[in-house]
Amino acid sequence: MTTAIDLILDTARRGELHHAIILHGPARPDLSALALRIAKALNCLNRSAGDHCAACQRIDRRIHPDVHFIEVPDEKKLISVQQVRDVVAEASLRPYEGRTKVFILDPAAGLTPSGSNALLKTLEEPARDTTFILTTRSPDLLLPTIRSRSQSIYVGGVEPRDHELASFITGALARFAAHRDGTALLAIAAAVSQRDDLSDSLALLGSLLCEAAAGRVDNVAISPERLLAAADGTMAASRGLIVNADARLMVEQALSALVEE
């Protein structure tokens, strides 16, 4: 069966991908992995959706001259304006050896307003054979001017949603935000871990935490940093299911990021 990801990769392979795309979803590792696969599909020597050719291997090793990774430096919290200016200068040049110059901003939410503004003209009037890939948990974390120049693609999560569980989670988050009631977080962990579709429930929790961070969930006055940290922990809990770890305990640990020290 052809999946949405297969369609994205095939579109990239054919050279028909939008010049700027926003990959968004609850699991940042999945977004980063897909961005890498798209870069390979755009530049594979065999014109496949990515294989083990020399170009794809160099992209995996991050040494391909036409594939650039723009990330938050270890000692910083944001992508600097200078990093964006370097991108703008590089984007004006033709590819050195590949078919397409690719710029992966991961996570794009690390862009400052100044950095976003520095990138706007390039997104609006891109050079030929240039593709920008921005990853973020939610497009709402990006400036509207960035979103308007890009195509958003949702990756992962639960569609359609379990509305009963979603309503319970958002209500409990609101209760915790209002009263710092730790039992509300324990209730979320219990409700999520008791579901038969545990992986989907964890993905839903991660997605709701990201939406709350973007201000799309009412009455959840918790800092975006804490909400996103909890979302990261939720995705780690999802991966921990592989080794049969205690799901309830992992969710409780993830949600502990919401508690102020």
Side-chain angles (χ1 to χ4, degrees):
M1 182 177 70
T2 300
T3 67
I5 289 177
D6 292 331
L7 292 173
I8 295 168
L9 294 174
D10 191 55
T11 301
R13 179 189 61 78
R14 298 195 310 269
E16 297 174 359
L17 196 67
H18 193 278
H19 71 274
I21 62 172
I22 297 172
L23 301 180
H24 64 102
R28 182 179 171 188
D30 291 348
L31 304 179
S32 301
L34 180 55
L36 196 68
R37 293 179 67 187
I38 292 171
K40 290 193 280 188
L42 289 166
N43 284 295
C44 179
L45 295 177
N46 298 319
R47 293 186 178 272
S48 77
D51 56 25
H52 296 291
C53 73
C56 290
Q57 291 183 41
R58 295 176 76 187
I59 292 170
D60 272 329
R61 293 162 57 197
R62 296 193 170 203
I63 59 173
H64 194 291
D66 294 315
V67 179
H68 304 267
F69 298 85
I70 300 90
E71 300 166 320
V72 178
D74 290 339
E75 70 282 6
K76 304 290 185 181
K77 294 184 178 180
L78 297 169
I79 295 171
S80 71
V81 175
Q82 187 56 53
Q83 285 176 278
V84 176
R85 289 172 179 161
D86 291 342
V87 166
V88 170
E90 184 67 32
S92 67
L93 306 175
R94 296 296 304 277
Y96 292 99
E97 61 181 58
R99 296 195 304 277
T100 306
K101 293 184 80 72
V102 182
F103 299 89
I104 300 173
L105 286 82
D106 183 19
L111 286 167
T112 64
S114 297
S116 296
N117 289 328
L119 189 62
L120 283 179
K121 186 171 179 60
T122 301
L123 291 182
E124 190 172 30
E125 300 175 3
R128 287 184 53 197
D129 306 319
T130 301
T131 298
F132 289 86
I133 304 174
L134 293 79
T135 73
T136 180
R137 294 187 182 91
S138 170
D140 288 335
L141 296 172
L142 307 179
L143 289 183
T145 45
I146 292 288
R147 301 200 305 268
S148 68
R149 290 161 174 78
S150 309
Q151 177 185 7
S152 292
I153 299 172
Y154 183 76
V155 180
V158 182
E159 295 290 335
R161 280 183 166 172
D162 180 335
H163 292 290
E164 179 183 354
L165 180 59
S167 178
F168 179 84
I169 290 171
T170 54
L173 285 174
R175 190 165 77 250
F176 172 77
H179 306 292
R180 290 301 185 263
D181 179 2
T183 61
L185 301 183
L186 296 177
I188 292 173
V192 169
S193 62
Q194 290 170 5
R195 294 294 211 195
D196 292 333
D197 52 348
L198 184 53
S199 294
D200 286 349
S201 298
L202 285 167
L204 175 58
L205 174 58
S207 179
L208 289 170
L209 289 166
C210 294
E211 290 184 15
R216 294 172 58 188
V217 178
D218 293 336
N219 303 317
V220 180
I222 303 171
S223 75
E225 293 79 12
R226 291 187 181 278
L227 287 162
L228 294 177
D232 276 341
T234 301
M235 293 304 103
S238 181
R239 294 190 292 274
L241 294 177
I242 298 172
V243 294
N244 298 316
D246 186 324
R248 179 168 178 170
L249 178 60
M250 288 191 299
V251 177
E252 288 178 1
Q253 291 173 338
L255 293 175
S256 69
L258 301 177
V259 180
E260 295 183 7
E261 297 179 356

mmCIF file of all heavy atoms in Angstrom, residues 21-24 79 105 107-113 116 119 123 133-148 150-152 214:
data_model
loop_
_atom_site.group_PDB
_atom_site.id
_atom_site.type_symbol
_atom_site.label_atom_id
_atom_site.label_comp_id
_atom_site.label_asym_id
_atom_site.label_seq_id
_atom_site.Cartn_x
_atom_site.Cartn_y
_atom_site.Cartn_z
ATOM 1 N N ILE A 21 8.999 23.244 2.159
ATOM 2 C CA ILE A 21 7.996 22.425 2.835
ATOM 3 C C ILE A 21 8.229 22.465 4.344
ATOM 4 O O ILE A 21 9.362 22.596 4.809
ATOM 5 C CB ILE A 21 7.989 20.966 2.336
ATOM 6 C CG1 ILE A 21 9.334 20.285 2.612
ATOM 7 C CG2 ILE A 21 7.632 20.898 0.868
ATOM 8 C CD1 ILE A 21 9.323 18.796 2.307
ATOM 9 N N ILE A 22 7.143 22.372 5.080
ATOM 10 C CA ILE A 22 7.191 22.298 6.538
ATOM 11 C C ILE A 22 6.738 20.900 6.930
ATOM 12 O O ILE A 22 5.579 20.528 6.696
ATOM 13 C CB ILE A 22 6.271 23.345 7.192
ATOM 14 C CG1 ILE A 22 6.732 24.760 6.833
ATOM 15 C CG2 ILE A 22 6.251 23.171 8.707
ATOM 16 C CD1 ILE A 22 5.764 25.854 7.272
ATOM 17 N N LEU A 23 7.633 20.108 7.487
ATOM 18 C CA LEU A 23 7.276 18.798 8.013
ATOM 19 C C LEU A 23 6.915 18.984 9.483
ATOM 20 O O LEU A 23 7.741 19.453 10.266
ATOM 21 C CB LEU A 23 8.452 17.826 7.886
ATOM 22 C CG LEU A 23 8.996 17.566 6.474
ATOM 23 C CD1 LEU A 23 10.157 16.588 6.543
ATOM 24 C CD2 LEU A 23 7.897 17.036 5.552
ATOM 25 N N HIS A 24 5.705 18.636 9.859
ATOM 26 C CA HIS A 24 5.314 18.833 11.254
ATOM 27 C C HIS A 24 4.604 17.598 11.790
ATOM 28 O O HIS A 24 3.942 16.861 11.059
ATOM 29 C CB HIS A 24 4.438 20.077 11.422
ATOM 30 C CG HIS A 24 3.116 20.019 10.725
ATOM 31 N ND1 HIS A 24 1.934 19.747 11.375
ATOM 32 C CD2 HIS A 24 2.787 20.202 9.421
ATOM 33 C CE1 HIS A 24 0.940 19.781 10.512
ATOM 34 N NE2 HIS A 24 1.415 20.041 9.321
ATOM 35 N N ILE A 79 18.635 29.323 16.412
ATOM 36 C CA ILE A 79 19.423 29.449 15.187
ATOM 37 C C ILE A 79 19.761 30.923 15.009
ATOM 38 O O ILE A 79 18.877 31.783 15.056
ATOM 39 C CB ILE A 79 18.624 28.926 13.979
ATOM 40 C CG1 ILE A 79 18.380 27.414 14.116
ATOM 41 C CG2 ILE A 79 19.333 29.240 12.670
ATOM 42 C CD1 ILE A 79 17.421 26.839 13.095
ATOM 43 N N LEU A 105 16.265 22.910 7.959
ATOM 44 C CA LEU A 105 16.242 23.681 9.203
ATOM 45 C C LEU A 105 15.543 22.833 10.259
ATOM 46 O O LEU A 105 14.322 22.628 10.194
ATOM 47 C CB LEU A 105 15.525 25.016 9.016
ATOM 48 C CG LEU A 105 16.308 26.080 8.236
ATOM 49 C CD1 LEU A 105 16.182 25.860 6.728
ATOM 50 C CD2 LEU A 105 15.829 27.472 8.577
ATOM 51 N N PRO A 107 15.428 22.159 14.424
ATOM 52 C CA PRO A 107 14.016 22.494 14.206
ATOM 53 C C PRO A 107 13.860 23.937 13.739
ATOM 54 O O PRO A 107 14.572 24.836 14.195
ATOM 55 C CB PRO A 107 13.413 22.314 15.594
ATOM 56 C CG PRO A 107 14.524 22.728 16.526
ATOM 57 C CD PRO A 107 15.797 22.284 15.854
ATOM 58 N N ALA A 108 12.903 24.154 12.856
ATOM 59 C CA ALA A 108 12.670 25.505 12.346
ATOM 60 C C ALA A 108 12.142 26.438 13.422
ATOM 61 O O ALA A 108 12.254 27.663 13.300
ATOM 62 C CB ALA A 108 11.691 25.448 11.172
ATOM 63 N N ALA A 109 11.566 25.865 14.490
ATOM 64 C CA ALA A 109 11.103 26.711 15.590
ATOM 65 C C ALA A 109 12.260 27.400 16.288
ATOM 66 O O ALA A 109 12.060 28.317 17.084
ATOM 67 C CB ALA A 109 10.308 25.874 16.601
ATOM 68 N N GLY A 110 13.493 26.986 15.977
ATOM 69 C CA GLY A 110 14.670 27.650 16.519
ATOM 70 C C GLY A 110 14.995 28.958 15.823
ATOM 71 O O GLY A 110 15.907 29.678 16.252
ATOM 72 N N LEU A 111 14.268 29.285 14.760
ATOM 73 C CA LEU A 111 14.479 30.562 14.080
ATOM 74 C C LEU A 111 13.999 31.718 14.952
ATOM 75 O O LEU A 111 12.911 31.673 15.512
ATOM 76 C CB LEU A 111 13.714 30.598 12.755
ATOM 77 C CG LEU A 111 14.254 29.774 11.586
ATOM 78 C CD1 LEU A 111 13.208 29.671 10.491
ATOM 79 C CD2 LEU A 111 15.544 30.393 11.050
ATOM 80 N N THR A 112 14.813 32.758 15.054
ATOM 81 C CA THR A 112 14.370 33.979 15.714
ATOM 82 C C THR A 112 13.513 34.776 14.732
ATOM 83 O O THR A 112 13.538 34.520 13.522
ATOM 84 C CB THR A 112 15.569 34.841 16.124
ATOM 85 O OG1 THR A 112 16.258 35.252 14.927
ATOM 86 C CG2 THR A 112 16.521 34.066 17.019
ATOM 87 N N PRO A 113 12.726 35.747 15.208
ATOM 88 C CA PRO A 113 11.994 36.605 14.265
ATOM 89 C C PRO A 113 12.921 37.265 13.244
ATOM 90 O O PRO A 113 12.586 37.348 12.059
ATOM 91 C CB PRO A 113 11.327 37.640 15.183
ATOM 92 C CG PRO A 113 11.125 36.901 16.477
ATOM 93 C CD PRO A 113 12.344 36.030 16.615
ATOM 94 N N SER A 116 13.917 34.607 10.754
ATOM 95 C CA SER A 116 12.795 34.311 9.862
ATOM 96 C C SER A 116 12.660 35.384 8.796
ATOM 97 O O SER A 116 12.462 35.094 7.614
ATOM 98 C CB SER A 116 11.495 34.209 10.668
ATOM 99 O OG SER A 116 11.541 33.127 11.573
ATOM 100 N N LEU A 119 15.109 35.157 6.050
ATOM 101 C CA LEU A 119 14.880 34.034 5.141
ATOM 102 C C LEU A 119 13.731 34.278 4.167
ATOM 103 O O LEU A 119 13.631 33.610 3.135
ATOM 104 C CB LEU A 119 14.585 32.782 5.972
ATOM 105 C CG LEU A 119 14.520 31.428 5.282
ATOM 106 C CD1 LEU A 119 15.852 31.072 4.639
ATOM 107 C CD2 LEU A 119 14.111 30.356 6.291
ATOM 108 N N LEU A 123 12.682 32.502 0.430
ATOM 109 C CA LEU A 123 11.555 31.586 0.302
ATOM 110 C C LEU A 123 10.548 32.077 -0.735
ATOM 111 O O LEU A 123 9.892 31.286 -1.407
ATOM 112 C CB LEU A 123 10.849 31.418 1.650
ATOM 113 C CG LEU A 123 11.615 30.677 2.753
ATOM 114 C CD1 LEU A 123 10.743 30.551 3.998
ATOM 115 C CD2 LEU A 123 12.071 29.304 2.289
ATOM 116 N N ILE A 133 13.595 22.559 3.655
ATOM 117 C CA ILE A 133 12.800 21.643 4.475
ATOM 118 C C ILE A 133 12.863 22.145 5.912
ATOM 119 O O ILE A 133 13.937 22.190 6.510
ATOM 120 C CB ILE A 133 13.322 20.201 4.388
ATOM 121 C CG1 ILE A 133 13.377 19.721 2.925
ATOM 122 C CG2 ILE A 133 12.439 19.269 5.214
ATOM 123 C CD1 ILE A 133 14.013 18.360 2.754
ATOM 124 N N LEU A 134 11.721 22.534 6.446
ATOM 125 C CA LEU A 134 11.648 23.039 7.810
ATOM 126 C C LEU A 134 10.908 22.012 8.660
ATOM 127 O O LEU A 134 9.817 21.568 8.285
ATOM 128 C CB LEU A 134 10.916 24.381 7.863
ATOM 129 C CG LEU A 134 11.589 25.582 7.190
ATOM 130 C CD1 LEU A 134 11.410 25.557 5.684
ATOM 131 C CD2 LEU A 134 11.016 26.887 7.742
ATOM 132 N N THR A 135 11.484 21.615 9.771
ATOM 133 C CA THR A 135 10.818 20.662 10.656
ATOM 134 C C THR A 135 10.362 21.373 11.927
ATOM 135 O O THR A 135 11.060 22.243 12.446
ATOM 136 C CB THR A 135 11.731 19.489 11.043
ATOM 137 O OG1 THR A 135 12.735 19.928 11.969
ATOM 138 C CG2 THR A 135 12.409 18.891 9.810
ATOM 139 N N THR A 136 9.182 21.008 12.388
ATOM 140 C CA THR A 136 8.651 21.609 13.613
ATOM 141 C C THR A 136 7.524 20.734 14.134
ATOM 142 O O THR A 136 6.868 20.024 13.361
ATOM 143 C CB THR A 136 8.122 23.029 13.360
ATOM 144 O OG1 THR A 136 7.613 23.573 14.578
ATOM 145 C CG2 THR A 136 7.022 23.054 12.321
ATOM 146 N N ARG A 137 7.301 20.778 15.437
ATOM 147 C CA ARG A 137 6.185 20.013 15.988
ATOM 148 C C ARG A 137 4.849 20.616 15.559
ATOM 149 O O ARG A 137 3.865 19.912 15.427
ATOM 150 C CB ARG A 137 6.286 19.975 17.511
ATOM 151 C CG ARG A 137 7.507 19.191 18.005
ATOM 152 C CD ARG A 137 7.434 19.044 19.514
ATOM 153 N NE ARG A 137 8.596 18.356 20.036
ATOM 154 C CZ ARG A 137 9.707 18.964 20.436
ATOM 155 N NH1 ARG A 137 9.782 20.270 20.357
ATOM 156 N NH2 ARG A 137 10.723 18.275 20.902
ATOM 157 N N SER A 138 4.811 21.911 15.357
ATOM 158 C CA SER A 138 3.572 22.571 14.946
ATOM 159 C C SER A 138 3.902 23.772 14.078
ATOM 160 O O SER A 138 4.742 24.595 14.457
ATOM 161 C CB SER A 138 2.770 23.023 16.163
ATOM 162 O OG SER A 138 1.688 23.852 15.765
ATOM 163 N N PRO A 139 3.257 23.930 12.913
ATOM 164 C CA PRO A 139 3.494 25.112 12.081
ATOM 165 C C PRO A 139 3.187 26.412 12.807
ATOM 166 O O PRO A 139 3.738 27.462 12.477
ATOM 167 C CB PRO A 139 2.544 24.904 10.888
ATOM 168 C CG PRO A 139 2.298 23.445 10.849
ATOM 169 C CD PRO A 139 2.318 22.999 12.280
ATOM 170 N N ASP A 140 2.297 26.346 13.801
ATOM 171 C CA ASP A 140 1.933 27.560 14.531
ATOM 172 C C ASP A 140 3.090 28.121 15.348
ATOM 173 O O ASP A 140 3.013 29.250 15.848
ATOM 174 C CB ASP A 140 0.742 27.295 15.450
ATOM 175 C CG ASP A 140 -0.549 27.124 14.669
ATOM 176 O OD1 ASP A 140 -0.627 27.663 13.557
ATOM 177 O OD2 ASP A 140 -1.472 26.457 15.158
ATOM 178 N N LEU A 141 4.160 27.346 15.502
ATOM 179 C CA LEU A 141 5.344 27.845 16.184
ATOM 180 C C LEU A 141 6.197 28.713 15.257
ATOM 181 O O LEU A 141 7.166 29.326 15.696
ATOM 182 C CB LEU A 141 6.181 26.676 16.713
ATOM 183 C CG LEU A 141 5.506 25.821 17.797
ATOM 184 C CD1 LEU A 141 6.343 24.591 18.105
ATOM 185 C CD2 LEU A 141 5.276 26.629 19.062
ATOM 186 N N LEU A 142 5.829 28.763 13.969
ATOM 187 C CA LEU A 142 6.569 29.555 12.986
ATOM 188 C C LEU A 142 5.796 30.827 12.650
ATOM 189 O O LEU A 142 4.574 30.895 12.812
ATOM 190 C CB LEU A 142 6.789 28.743 11.703
ATOM 191 C CG LEU A 142 7.432 27.368 11.868
ATOM 192 C CD1 LEU A 142 7.557 26.677 10.516
ATOM 193 C CD2 LEU A 142 8.792 27.480 12.540
ATOM 194 N N LEU A 143 6.519 31.835 12.166
ATOM 195 C CA LEU A 143 5.858 33.073 11.772
ATOM 196 C C LEU A 143 4.877 32.818 10.625
ATOM 197 O O LEU A 143 5.158 32.008 9.730
ATOM 198 C CB LEU A 143 6.890 34.107 11.324
ATOM 199 C CG LEU A 143 7.793 34.738 12.387
ATOM 200 C CD1 LEU A 143 8.689 35.783 11.741
ATOM 201 C CD2 LEU A 143 6.969 35.366 13.497
ATOM 202 N N PRO A 144 3.729 33.493 10.632
ATOM 203 C CA PRO A 144 2.760 33.325 9.541
ATOM 204 C C PRO A 144 3.374 33.582 8.163
ATOM 205 O O PRO A 144 2.990 32.942 7.184
ATOM 206 C CB PRO A 144 1.675 34.357 9.874
ATOM 207 C CG PRO A 144 1.764 34.521 11.354
ATOM 208 C CD PRO A 144 3.229 34.393 11.676
ATOM 209 N N THR A 145 4.316 34.515 8.081
ATOM 210 C CA THR A 145 4.944 34.817 6.796
ATOM 211 C C THR A 145 5.781 33.648 6.287
ATOM 212 O O THR A 145 5.892 33.441 5.077
ATOM 213 C CB THR A 145 5.832 36.071 6.929
ATOM 214 O OG1 THR A 145 6.614 35.969 8.127
ATOM 215 C CG2 THR A 145 4.995 37.331 6.990
ATOM 216 N N ILE A 146 6.360 32.868 7.203
ATOM 217 C CA ILE A 146 7.089 31.662 6.798
ATOM 218 C C ILE A 146 6.101 30.605 6.321
ATOM 219 O O ILE A 146 6.278 29.966 5.274
ATOM 220 C CB ILE A 146 7.930 31.110 7.969
ATOM 221 C CG1 ILE A 146 9.084 32.070 8.316
ATOM 222 C CG2 ILE A 146 8.458 29.718 7.645
ATOM 223 C CD1 ILE A 146 10.197 32.103 7.298
ATOM 224 N N ARG A 147 5.017 30.428 7.087
ATOM 225 C CA ARG A 147 4.019 29.408 6.729
ATOM 226 C C ARG A 147 3.384 29.699 5.381
ATOM 227 O O ARG A 147 3.101 28.777 4.607
ATOM 228 C CB ARG A 147 2.934 29.326 7.812
ATOM 229 C CG ARG A 147 3.460 28.972 9.195
ATOM 230 C CD ARG A 147 2.350 28.423 10.088
ATOM 231 N NE ARG A 147 1.204 29.306 10.195
ATOM 232 C CZ ARG A 147 1.057 30.230 11.146
ATOM 233 N NH1 ARG A 147 2.004 30.411 12.052
ATOM 234 N NH2 ARG A 147 -0.026 30.972 11.197
ATOM 235 N N SER A 148 3.139 30.972 5.090
ATOM 236 C CA SER A 148 2.443 31.327 3.861
ATOM 237 C C SER A 148 3.274 31.047 2.614
ATOM 238 O O SER A 148 2.724 30.942 1.514
ATOM 239 C CB SER A 148 2.051 32.811 3.890
ATOM 240 O OG SER A 148 3.198 33.649 3.827
ATOM 241 N N SER A 150 5.274 28.367 2.354
ATOM 242 C CA SER A 150 5.678 26.967 2.411
ATOM 243 C C SER A 150 4.457 26.053 2.326
ATOM 244 O O SER A 150 3.328 26.472 2.576
ATOM 245 C CB SER A 150 6.431 26.683 3.718
ATOM 246 O OG SER A 150 7.477 27.604 3.928
ATOM 247 N N GLN A 151 4.713 24.799 1.982
ATOM 248 C CA GLN A 151 3.670 23.780 1.985
ATOM 249 C C GLN A 151 3.826 22.934 3.237
ATOM 250 O O GLN A 151 4.880 22.348 3.475
ATOM 251 C CB GLN A 151 3.771 22.897 0.746
ATOM 252 C CG GLN A 151 2.751 21.768 0.712
ATOM 253 C CD GLN A 151 2.950 20.828 -0.454
ATOM 254 O OE1 GLN A 151 3.922 20.929 -1.184
ATOM 255 N NE2 GLN A 151 2.023 19.907 -0.631
ATOM 256 N N SER A 152 2.770 22.845 4.051
ATOM 257 C CA SER A 152 2.820 22.072 5.289
ATOM 258 C C SER A 152 2.443 20.621 5.034
ATOM 259 O O SER A 152 1.458 20.346 4.332
ATOM 260 C CB SER A 152 1.881 22.672 6.339
ATOM 261 O OG SER A 152 2.352 23.932 6.767
ATOM 262 N N ALA A 214 1.866 25.576 21.249
ATOM 263 C CA ALA A 214 1.608 26.562 20.193
ATOM 264 C C ALA A 214 0.408 27.447 20.519
ATOM 265 O O ALA A 214 0.009 28.284 19.706
ATOM 266 C CB ALA A 214 1.382 25.852 18.864
#
